[in-house]
Amino acid sequence: MLIVGNWKMNGLIETAQELADGIVAGLGARSGRSLPCEVVLCPPATALLTVHQRLDGSVVKLGGQDLSEHESGAHTGEICGIMLRNVGCRHVIVGHSERRADCGEDDAKVARKMAAAFRDGLQPIVCVGETLNERERGATLEVIGAQLAALVPYVPRELTRRQTLVVAYEPVWAIGTGRNAELEQIREVHGFMRRQLEEAFGADAARMRLLYGGSVKPANAGSIFGLEDVDGGLIGGASLKSAEFLAIIDAVPEKF
Ligand code: PEP
């Protein structure tokens, strides 16, 4: 299981330090060795280095929230994978629906960014998901299928434990809205994604990780994580309070 906290555009240096310290202390008190999941924090870019320093010696890993598809050069305001590695990142979120909506990132661009993350030695966490309009007109699986299909040619054939395909299913209508996808809706999409990946990658698909994201809270985390084909969660709002985030980690079933 993999639990990822996406802090989005929240937190100055001091608050980022406090939040990271609270999570590390909470996990330490629960004994890092028996943690049932890997934990990754994705602070805003300005807090990456300081959070990296706070995570030093803990089991918690660091991730970026986005990266450039380019390696370096004249791309004002962009951050490339090597720069993320340089401040301690092992992971990076790619194609979050807020970037797809705010920055016009389409499936092809998201796929190129994922390829850049693989190239630069990062573990990409690629977000997919349908809008409310797409769900209401019955197009959910078609949309998810197209988003996954765009990724397939860019996934390296030689995957490792540190670099595999991680996909986060995040229905756009459930992000930051407090509105939850029903368990049956999550089960349907995750099962569909696993089958799509099996068709594309055969036996390797079993080692790819499928996260769920969208208003995950301590109260609903256990039932979501207990679903077949759910290998973890991408947590937004609830990752901004250490107690809530820790309670979500506590909800990971022991079997993992
Ligand atoms: C997210 O931003 O990826 C997310 C899932 O947000 P929230 O948990 O707040 O819905």
Side-chain angles (χ1 to χ4, degrees):
M1 277 252 160
L2 173 64
I3 305 294
V4 182
N6 175 15
W7 295 359
K8 309 193 185 188
M9 200 171 70
N10 294 294
L12 302 180
I13 296 296
E14 297 75 15
T15 45
Q17 285 174 343
E18 265 174 48
L19 185 50
D21 289 350
I23 291 166
V24 168
L27 291 177
R30 286 159 171 81
S31 165
R33 297 178 128 226
S34 60
L35 260 191
C37 58
E38 285 175 57
V39 178
V40 177
L41 301 181
C42 300
T46 48
L48 281 170
L49 185 56
T50 192
V51 172
H52 172 58
Q53 287 157 354
R54 303 308 255 222
L55 299 182
D56 191 32
S58 85
V59 292
V60 183
K61 306 226 169 49
L62 188 70
Q65 296 179 11
D66 177 46
L67 85 167
S68 169
E69 66 188 273
H70 304 289
E71 276 188 90
S72 65
H75 304 285
T76 303
E78 295 284 303
I79 298 173
C80 64
I82 297 297
M83 291 170 175
L84 291 176
R85 289 271 308 277
N86 193 227
V87 290
C89 291
R90 290 278 176 82
H91 297 69
V92 62
I93 298 171
V94 176
H96 192 281
S97 62
E98 286 155 13
R99 294 202 59 83
R100 290 182 188 250
D102 295 352
C103 311
E105 292 187 10
D106 60 13
D107 292 348
K109 188 167 184 79
V110 171
R112 292 196 300 274
K113 286 188 170 204
M114 179 195 70
F118 278 122
R119 177 196 67 212
D120 293 337
L122 290 159
Q123 170 61 71
I125 300 160
V126 187
C127 301
V128 300
E130 82 286 4
T131 62
L132 186 57
N133 179 281
E134 287 161 346
R135 177 160 282 275
E136 285 177 344
R137 63 181 166 82
T140 298
L141 298 186
E142 187 191 321
V143 169
I144 307 291
Q147 290 173 337
L148 285 183
L151 303 178
V152 169
Y154 294 88
V155 176
R157 296 296 121 177
E158 297 291 313
L159 292 169
T160 62
R161 206 177 158 277
R162 268 190 57 185
Q163 272 198 314
T164 183
L165 181 60
V166 178
V167 179
Y169 168 53
E170 299 209 304
V172 179
W173 47 273
I175 297 179
T177 59
R179 189 173 162 179
N180 295 125
E182 287 164 21
L183 294 180
E184 192 43 48
Q185 294 173 320
I186 301 172
R187 193 200 319 272
E188 182 192 27
V189 173
H190 278 244
F192 170 78
M193 293 198 297
R194 187 77 72 192
R195 287 193 301 279
Q196 289 276 107
L197 295 177
E198 276 163 4
E199 275 172 31
F201 301 105
D204 282 346
R207 285 185 286 115
M208 296 175 171
R209 289 162 130 181
L210 305 180
L211 314 187
Y212 173 76
S215 299
V216 176
K217 302 266 180 300
N220 61 18
S223 48
I224 294 171
F225 297 158
L227 292 172
E228 200 182 343
D229 291 317
V230 173
D231 306 314
L234 179 52
I235 320 296
S239 70
L240 293 172
K241 292 197 181 109
S242 56
E244 273 197 53
F245 191 60
L246 290 165
I248 287 172
I249 292 168
D250 286 339
V252 172
E254 281 300 327
K255 64 179 166 139
F256 296 98

